[in-house]
Amino acid sequence: MELPEIRPEDRTPLVEALLGIIRELLDRVAQLEETVRQLRDENAKLKGQQPRPDIKPSILEARQPKSVGQEGGKRPGSAKRPKTAELHIHHETPIHLDVVPEGATLRDYEPYVVQDLTIKSENTRYLRARYDLPGGGSVLAPFPEGVLPVEGGHFGASLVTYILDQYHQAMVTEPLLLEQLWEYGIDISAGQLHRILTENKEHFHQEKAELLAAALTVSSYIGSDDTGARHQGKNGYTTVVGNELFAYFASTGSKSRENFLQVLQGPQLDYAINVITLSYWERQKLAAGLVGQLTQGPREFVGEQAWQARLTELAITNERQVRIATEGALLGGLIARGVSPELGVLSDGAQQFVLFVHAACWIHAERPLAKLVPYNDQHTAAIEKVRSQIWELYKDLKAYREQPDAAQRPVLEARFEALVQQRTGYPNINGVLKEMRDHKADLLRVLERPDIPLHNNALESIIREFVKRRKISGGTRSDAGRRCRDTFASLKKTCRKLGVRFWDYLQDRVRGLGQIPRLADLIRLKARPITAPNSQAVPVN
C-alpha cells in the first residue's frame, strides 16, 4: 500500500497517531498473509500437491567483501594445483610402440595418470586345520588378522566396511543397497544387511562417547543446534554439538534444557550438587527450603534412577521444582567431570542452549529483517538501512575477533547501542532491534571471548545432512537404528574435522587393527594449538 505524501506542516499529532495505527495494521496484515501462505502450503501437502517453493534469503556472510589475499575472491582451497600430485600410484606400466620406426631412439617417458576403481565380489574358502592334542581335545587354526570383522560372521571386513560406508556416508537406503550388493554377486538377505548396520556396534558407540567427553574438556567453546527427527512414527529431535574438533549427534524425544544437558553428558548421566549447582538454583529462584533439603546428605548421584530416588525421598514432586533441581544437578555433574564453567555455548538463541557462557548468532539475529515483506518504498528503505548498519557493525566485530583490541571495545559497544536504540517508525523493524537489545550481552560476547565465532553456520551445515536423510528415509523405526545413525554421523563428521578418511577409519575399526588412534586422543592432540587461553568467566544464564 502506498501512503500519500504528507507535508511536514500537515503532520499534526493526530495524523502521526493515525499513521502509526496504519503501520501497525499493515504489519498485522503481513503476518496474517504469511499465516495464510503456510496454511495453503500445508493444505497442498495434505492433498498430495507441491507447496510453493521456499526461496531462502541471502545470508549475512554473502554480503561480506572478498577476503584480502584470496585469489580473485575464490573460496579457500580452490587455487589451481597438480591434480595427481597427492595420488598414491599403485601400478606403473611403460607403453611402447608395437612397431618402432626405423632409426628411432627412446628419449624418455611421458607420464599420464589414470584413476580407476575395482569393485567385484571375492569369495574365499578357508581350510582351517584342526589338530588333535595328545591329552584329548583339539585346536583349530585361527583366521589371519583382519580377515573377519571384530563381531565375526561370514561376511568379510571389506564388505562390512563397504556396507557401512555406503549407508552412512553415501546415504544409500537399505533396499537400494541390498539390490546393489545382489548386482555385485553378494549372497545376502535383507535381515543380514540390517544386522550388519545395527547390531554389535558397541565399540563404535563407546568411541562416540569418548570423543564427546574429550572434546568438552579441551574445547573453549561449542556450537549447538537441533532439527526435527521422527522416530517410530512420532516427532522427535536431533541435537548436534561441535566445533573445529568434533561433531556429536543425539536424537531424543524433546529439546528442553534438561535434554540438552543430558546430551552433553552422553550415555552415562552424573548428578552433582556443587558451587555451580547452587549458583544455578539461586538464579532460577529455587525455594531456599528445597535447596536446604537437597544439600543435606549425598551430593553425587550416578544415573537417572539414583537421582529420581533422591527426589522421591525428599518428596519433591512439583514439576517446576523437579525441573530446576534436575537441571542444576546435571550442570554440576558436567563441572565435576572436568568441563569448564567458562565453556562457551554458541547457538541461535533457543532457550535450551542458554547455558555456561552463552553467545548468540548474528545471522539469526538479523534474519527476521531479511524475512520482512516491505509494503512501500519507505519501508523498504528503512529495512535496508538497518540491515546495512548491522552488516557494517558485524564486519568490524569480525575484524576485532581476528585482532582483538581493548581500545575498540567501548567504541563497538557504543555503535551497538546506537543501532538498537534507534526508532524507525515501523513496529516490525523496531521489534527486531528490541530483540537484539535484549540479547546485547550474547551478541557482543566476542568482545570478551574472541575464540567464539559470530555465527552458527558451521553447525547448521553439519546438521543439514540429517535433513537430507529425513527427506530420503522419513524417520527411524528401531532404537538400535536411531542410535547407529547418530553414532556413525558423529564419527564421520569428527573424522573429517580431524583429517582422517572415514573409509580408512572404518577399515581399521571393523578389522580391529587399532592402527588409527582413538578419535578422543586425536581431539586432545589437535586441541593444544587451537584452544584459546585467557577466557573470561561469565555467570551461567
Side-chain angles (χ1 to χ4, degrees):
M1 176 184 291
E2 289 288 342
L3 294 177
E5 184 177 355
I6 301 175
R7 295 175 299 178
E9 59 269 20
D10 294 334
R11 287 182 174 269
T12 64
L14 176 59
V15 171
E16 291 290 349
L18 291 174
L19 287 174
I21 293 173
I22 291 173
R23 287 165 181 160
E24 289 184 8
L25 290 175
L26 288 174
D27 287 347
R28 180 60 177 162
V29 168
Q31 294 172 1
L32 292 174
E33 286 178 345
E34 175 63 19
T35 301
V36 170
R37 186 193 68 79
Q38 294 174 358
L39 291 173
R40 284 177 175 171
D41 288 346
E42 186 65 27
N43 192 35
K45 291 179 182 178
L46 292 173
K47 291 181 177 179
Q49 302 170 354
Q50 290 294 328
R52 192 175 66 175
D54 182 17
I55 302 175
K56 301 292 184 182
S58 60
I59 62 173
L60 190 60
E61 287 288 79
R63 298 295 296 267
Q64 301 305 311
K66 296 173 182 178
S67 301
V68 178
Q70 284 191 6
E71 193 175 314
K74 294 182 179 179
R75 60 178 175 81
S78 62
K80 288 188 176 181
R81 60 178 177 82
K83 294 182 179 179
T84 61
E86 299 177 0
L87 285 180
H88 172 69
I89 304 300
H90 299 86
H91 308 284
E92 191 168 76
T93 303
I95 303 176
H96 296 273
L97 292 174
D98 292 335
V99 178
V100 179
E102 185 177 354
T105 58
L106 177 65
R107 181 199 308 171
D108 57 15
Y109 292 95
E110 296 184 8
Y112 188 92
V113 177
V114 176
Q115 297 184 66
D116 206 344
L117 180 67
T118 301
I119 297 179
K120 64 178 182 178
S121 63
E122 188 171 80
N123 305 317
T124 303
R125 177 184 287 119
Y126 289 94
L127 303 177
R128 304 173 65 190
R130 183 178 291 278
Y131 297 88
D132 292 326
L133 300 175
S138 63
V139 62
L140 185 64
F143 287 103
E145 183 183 17
V147 168
L148 291 180
V150 292
E151 62 265 22
H154 288 276
F155 299 102
S158 293
L159 177 56
V160 171
T161 299
Y162 178 81
I163 289 172
L164 293 174
D165 184 76
Q166 284 290 289
Y167 186 79
H168 293 290
Q169 180 149 259
M171 290 194 288
V172 180
T173 62
E174 285 191 46
L176 290 178
L177 182 53
L178 185 63
E179 291 183 9
Q180 183 186 112
L181 294 173
W182 287 345
E183 287 289 328
Y184 295 159
I186 304 299
D187 184 9
I188 187 173
S189 69
Q192 289 172 321
L193 175 62
H194 184 73
R195 285 191 289 274
I196 289 174
L197 290 170
T198 60
E199 295 182 2
N200 302 313
K201 298 297 182 286
E202 283 304 321
H203 53 297
F204 287 110
H205 299 319
Q206 177 61 35
E207 186 154 14
K208 175 195 175 189
E210 290 174 7
L211 73 87
L212 174 67
L216 289 180
T217 54
V218 300
S219 298
S220 65
Y221 87 95
I222 58 171
S224 56
D225 199 4
D226 55 39
T227 187
R230 287 179 64 81
H231 178 61
Q232 296 179 344
K234 299 179 181 178
N235 290 331
Y237 303 92
T238 294
T239 301
V240 58
V241 294
N243 54 27
E244 297 87 352
L245 298 171
F246 79 108
Y248 181 91
F249 296 85
S251 296
T252 55
S254 71
K255 57 176 184 177
S256 62
R257 179 174 293 180
E258 179 181 343
N259 173 76
F260 180 57
L261 288 165
Q262 291 175 341
V263 168
L264 293 181
Q265 290 229 9
Q268 175 60 55
L269 299 182
D270 292 331
Y271 301 78
I273 300 174
N274 49 36
V275 175
I276 297 297
T277 308
L278 296 175
S279 178
Y280 182 84
W281 287 344
E282 182 180 358
R283 281 189 297 277
Q284 297 296 325
K285 295 180 172 53
L286 187 63
L290 289 178
V291 173
Q293 285 182 278
L294 289 165
T295 53
Q296 297 297 319
R299 293 198 173 199
E300 294 184 356
F301 307 88
V302 178
E304 185 176 6
Q305 187 175 357
W307 172 249
Q308 293 298 333
R310 176 60 173 167
L311 294 178
T312 301
E313 177 187 353
L314 298 176
I316 301 176
T317 58
N318 179 271
E319 183 179 349
R320 176 182 175 277
Q321 294 172 347
V322 169
R323 175 177 56 81
I324 294 176
T326 302
E327 290 171 355
L330 286 168
L331 185 60
L334 283 170
I335 302 303
R337 287 184 178 185
V339 178
S340 171
E342 300 176 2
L343 176 71
V345 177
L346 173 65
S347 79
D348 58 7
Q351 285 303 301
Q352 67 267 26
F353 300 131
V354 181
L355 286 166
F356 295 98
V357 183
H358 183 258
C361 171
W362 272 80
I363 291 179
H364 280 85
E366 183 266 353
R367 189 168 292 169
L369 287 173
K371 291 184 176 182
L372 289 180
V373 179
Y375 42 78
N376 57 38
D377 291 341
Q378 290 81 9
H379 194 194
T380 300
I383 293 173
E384 285 303 314
K385 176 184 176 183
V386 174
R387 293 186 71 192
S388 297
Q389 291 172 345
I390 293 176
W391 291 327
E392 287 298 319
L393 178 57
Y394 176 89
K395 182 178 67 174
D396 292 340
L397 288 171
K398 192 174 179 180
Y400 174 90
R401 181 174 182 260
E402 294 172 356
Q403 292 185 336
D405 182 1
Q408 287 297 312
R409 289 183 59 174
V411 176
L412 294 170
E413 288 177 349
R415 287 179 58 189
F416 181 89
E417 282 295 332
L419 167 67
V420 299
Q421 293 292 348
Q422 64 180 310
R423 290 294 174 268
T424 64
Y426 297 95
N428 48 13
I429 301 177
N430 295 339
V432 175
L433 294 175
K434 180 182 182 301
E435 188 72 15
M436 293 182 66
R437 183 171 69 249
D438 293 341
H439 294 88
K440 173 184 176 180
D442 293 345
L443 288 170
L444 294 183
R445 190 69 68 194
V446 66
L447 298 180
E448 59 192 46
R449 291 289 300 272
D451 56 302
I452 303 178
L454 288 164
H455 60 77
N456 208 28
N457 279 1
L459 267 294
E460 290 198 337
S461 298
I462 289 174
I463 210 168
R464 190 171 296 131
E465 178 175 315
F466 265 74
V467 178
K468 294 178 182 178
R469 185 173 288 277
R470 184 175 65 218
K471 292 179 179 179
I472 294 172
S473 302
T476 49
R477 292 184 291 179
S478 68
D479 291 339
R482 180 173 71 169
R483 189 183 183 196
C484 284
R485 180 196 61 186
D486 293 348
T487 290
F488 283 98
S490 303
L491 297 174
K492 178 183 68 176
K493 295 292 186 180
T494 301
C495 281
R496 289 181 183 175
K497 290 175 178 291
L498 297 174
V500 177
R501 291 195 298 182
F502 188 56
W503 173 265
D504 294 341
Y505 168 82
L506 286 176
Q507 283 271 31
D508 184 83
R509 296 301 190 262
V510 169
R511 296 179 185 275
L513 302 178
Q515 296 174 353
I516 295 179
R518 305 290 287 183
L519 297 183
D521 294 333
L522 292 176
I523 287 172
R524 295 186 187 97
L525 183 64
K526 190 175 180 180
R528 293 173 186 170
I530 69 172
T531 301
N534 304 323
S535 298
Q536 181 177 346
V538 176
V540 179
N541 290 314

